[in-house]
Amino acid sequence: MVSAVRTVLGDLPPERLGVCDAHDHLFFGSPRLPGQELNSRSAAGAELAAFRAQGGDAVVQWTPYGLGRRAADLPPLSREAGVQVVAATGCTRTSTTTSRRSTVCGTGSPRCSWPN
């Protein structure tokens, strides 16, 4: 049993999550999807406010390292909208610079091989 959910504002008992969007992207950017970037702080705030107005309580933000997750923007957005935000972490597969599939895990970290 999970005793706490780690949000960008601190740990929370699971029963306090309320209505939860379990997979969303508040920020996102990929060279493989030009023109589909989510990079506006005001747009992210408006989406959270609209979700809250419809009864939403929590969002799990799934943008991984390397795709513009903007983790530093999440706590103030959470506070301003009154919506709990869980910042999931992870890596992203990339093949934009090599024919070999690989994984990028954060700025400056080494690439690790991805099984074929």
Side-chain angles (χ1 to χ4, degrees):
M1 173 124 213
V2 175
S3 61
V5 175
R6 179 141 303 156
T7 76
V8 297
L9 299 179
D11 290 352
L12 190 69
E15 60 273 10
R16 294 218 12 238
L17 276 183
V19 176
C20 183
D21 175 352
H23 186 139
D24 213 326
H25 297 274
L26 297 171
F27 298 105
F28 182 82
S30 170
R32 299 192 74 180
L33 298 169
Q36 297 183 41
E37 296 83 6
L38 301 173
N39 56 16
S40 168
R41 188 186 185 288
S42 62
E47 290 293 325
L48 285 174
F51 178 66
R52 182 72 183 143
Q54 294 296 313
D57 298 302
V59 170
V60 181
Q61 204 289 126
W62 277 99
T63 304
Y65 294 106
L67 293 179
R69 71 191 304 245
R70 294 178 60 172
D73 286 320
L74 298 177
L77 284 168
S78 177
R79 272 190 293 280
E80 292 161 13
V83 174
Q84 296 294 333
V85 175
V86 175
T89 61
C91 301
T92 184
R93 290 174 16 173
T94 181
S95 61
T96 58
T97 59
T98 176
S99 61
R100 189 183 72 135
R101 283 169 34 192
S102 60
T103 304
V104 176
C105 298
T107 304
S109 66
R111 291 181 175 209
C112 47
S113 65
W114 190 274
N116 288 325

